[in-house]
Amino acid sequence: DYRGRLLAGEFRFRPPPGSVLPPGLHQVEVFFFPQQVHKYRSVSGRRSVRVLPAAPLLEWRCRPLPAALGEEDEPQEEEEVMEPSRTVRLALGRPLPAWLFHPKVYGPVEDGLSEVAAEGRLLFSHPPHCLLPTGTHRFTAQFQPRDPESRWLSRGYGSLAVEVRGSPVPLHWAPPPRLAPTH
């Protein structure tokens, strides 16, 4: 667009459209070549673009909700991706299910997301076999790439709500027998 007029011509880009740039600082250039070279001149522009490492996504696979209270909520043959807003329900006195400690970690690939092959470790907000009191608790996981200077992958986070239902079982003791006085 030049002074309110649409100019016929050709744009060229460096790097070309569709290029996937690795994380880091890059120079991106655009060139315009008008069709009427006798009337208009070619122009170009350059910008710096910083591409940041991608944060991986964490997803849990589990049995669809609602789960029956007291049942172990282990993954089934046909696993379902748990939506981030969903809640894991446990009965009071049940430990956190083992599948919570094995989320799938997805990172960037050229045309979308794929399970991450990069090495790293997962840190959790609660230890395995943890017993939680009644109420709703936030269970979080953090993926840390093995290489903290990774050009492609940064830390990733995920969380789920864990709702613990039930009430403590009251303990009742029979009153002790009366002791007869001894003389």
Side-chain angles (χ1 to χ4, degrees), residues 16-18 39-40 60 74 83 103 117-118 125 132 154 164 181:
K39 197 170 182 182
Y40 302 102
W60 283 267
E74 292 294 332
E83 296 171 18
S125 58
L132 297 173
S154 67
V164 180

Side-chain angles (χ1 to χ4, degrees), residues 8-174:
E10 177 186 1
F11 281 99
R12 292 190 194 152
F13 302 90
R14 192 176 353 185
S19 297
V20 177
L21 301 174
L25 188 62
H26 303 276
Q27 292 294 318
V28 179
E29 297 177 289
V30 61
F31 305 92
F32 178 72
F33 302 98
Q35 278 184 351
Q36 298 175 342
V37 291
H38 63 282
K39 197 170 182 182
Y40 302 102
R41 64 186 173 129
S42 298
V43 292
S44 65
R46 176 185 302 198
R47 292 285 183 261
S48 294
V49 175
R50 180 175 304 278
V51 178
L52 301 175
L57 297 175
L58 278 67
E59 287 184 337
W60 283 267
R61 297 188 176 270
C62 69
R63 181 183 322 164
L65 292 178
L69 287 178
E71 283 185 20
E72 192 61 32
D73 205 12
E74 292 294 332
Q76 301 298 302
E77 296 264 337
E78 290 190 29
E79 296 176 326
E80 175 181 306
V81 174
M82 177 172 247
E83 296 171 18
S85 63
R86 308 261 329 245
T87 300
V88 177
R89 293 186 183 101
L90 297 176
L92 183 65
R94 301 291 271 168
L96 292 174
W99 60 262
L100 278 179
F101 297 91
H102 301 283
K104 299 283 184 188
V105 181
Y106 294 91
V109 291
E110 219 168 292
D111 57 351
L113 291 176
S114 176
E115 199 166 342
V116 172
E119 294 186 16
R121 65 184 182 148
L122 287 162
L123 303 173
F124 299 98
S125 58
H126 297 78
H129 310 295
C130 177
L131 296 175
L132 297 173
T134 55
T136 302
H137 309 272
R138 180 67 48 200
F139 179 83
T140 60
Q142 177 189 63
F143 174 79
Q144 293 182 336
R146 175 182 260 179
D147 177 11
E149 301 299 317
S150 172
R151 292 186 59 209
W152 288 99
L153 206 56
S154 67
R155 291 180 182 209
Y157 302 89
S159 68
L160 293 172
V162 177
E163 182 182 335
V164 180
R165 294 183 184 179
S167 59
V169 176
L171 298 176
H172 296 282
W173 285 279

